[in-house]
Amino acid sequence: MSSSTQTAASHVPAPPGSGPTPSDLRAALADSGSVGLALFPLGLALGMLVVHSGPAWWWAPVFAGVIYAGSLEFLLIGLVTAAIPLAQVALTAFLVNFRHVFYALSFPLHRVRGRWGKGYATFALTDETYALTTGASARAWSGRRILWLQVLCQGYWVAGATIGAGGAALLPVQLDGLDFALTALFVVLAVDGYRAQRDIPVPVIALGCALVAGLLLPGQMLPVALGLFTAALLIRRFAISRELTRA
């Protein structure tokens, strides 16, 4: 093989998931940096909230590592400490994470190789990793790069929760408002999403569902509001699809 042929061959990109390359990890570190700046402090808040709510500090890394569903973890702390029936916990978890059903439609799982790799990629699918892996710049990412991204994101979360819980256990200073940390994040994300899409019916529907749930079943407001909102979005989607088909 001539030197020119070797040079040309060396510039041919490897197919996605073709093999272990250090660049996948370095690229994932760069990809996850901005997300880590948000996940780590939120993990700190989760860890401190776990300790302040009563459970032992080591429950924080267990929650973060095994459940790994940010908004649901904050909710579960209150549900567990209040001894809510398991059926209600399961329904809340289903409604809170129901959006992942739609994530699966466009998440690039086909690039991830192996049964274990696909299993972990499905387990570690979060709002942040979905947003990063489905963007235009991520269309050429390999399966290993996607997995490294998910591992790093969970690492930021677990590390933050562990350090936060350990610090709260050693320095038992009561901090108010920690349970609102993730709510505040999603409010900011919702505002940014509205600025990007300017889809006025969506926030109006969300507000209407919250008001109806709060008036009818104030003790079960969250699961009822989420259920109504999900149903409303599905109906709206179906109506838009029919209009486009007729047009």
Side-chain angles (χ1 to χ4, degrees), residues 25-40:
L25 175 57
R26 289 197 298 266
L29 280 169
D31 300 330
S32 63
S34 59
V35 173
L37 292 176
L39 289 177
F40 183 78

Side-chain angles (χ1 to χ4, degrees), residues 39 63-70 73 123-124 126 129 150 153-154 157:
L39 289 177
F63 269 51
V66 176
I67 301 175
Y68 190 43
E73 290 175 56
F123 162 75
T126 61
T129 55
Q150 293 182 289
C153 286
Q154 187 175 14
W157 182 253

Side-chain angles (χ1 to χ4, degrees), residues 29-187:
L29 280 169
D31 300 330
S32 63
S34 59
V35 173
L37 292 176
L39 289 177
F40 183 78
L42 280 174
L44 290 174
L46 174 69
M48 289 187 285
L49 184 62
V50 167
V51 174
H52 291 166
S53 299
W57 72 269
W58 50 266
W59 276 108
V62 171
F63 269 51
V66 176
I67 301 175
Y68 190 43
S71 55
L72 179 61
E73 290 175 56
F74 278 85
L75 287 173
L76 278 180
I77 295 173
L79 295 176
V80 170
T81 54
I84 299 298
L86 184 60
Q88 184 174 339
V89 174
L91 177 61
T92 302
F94 173 77
L95 293 175
V96 170
N97 288 328
F98 186 74
R99 65 190 185 280
H100 287 234
V101 174
F102 301 98
Y103 288 175
L105 299 177
S106 53
F107 179 69
L109 185 63
H110 60 281
R111 300 184 206 161
V112 181
R113 294 187 176 183
R115 181 179 301 175
W116 290 102
K118 291 181 181 295
Y120 178 76
T122 303
F123 162 75
L125 177 58
T126 61
D127 301 306
E128 295 80 9
T129 55
Y130 174 79
L132 290 172
T133 56
T134 55
S137 61
R139 292 174 182 172
W141 287 8
S142 67
R144 291 181 60 86
R145 182 170 175 175
I146 294 172
L147 284 176
W148 273 122
L149 174 70
Q150 293 182 289
V151 169
L152 290 170
C153 286
Q154 187 175 14
Y156 301 142
W157 182 253
V158 174
T162 304
I163 295 173
L170 295 175
L171 302 172
V173 178
Q174 186 68 33
L175 298 176
D176 297 327
L178 290 175
D179 53 345
F180 189 72
L182 199 65
T183 303
L185 173 63
F186 277 103
V187 169

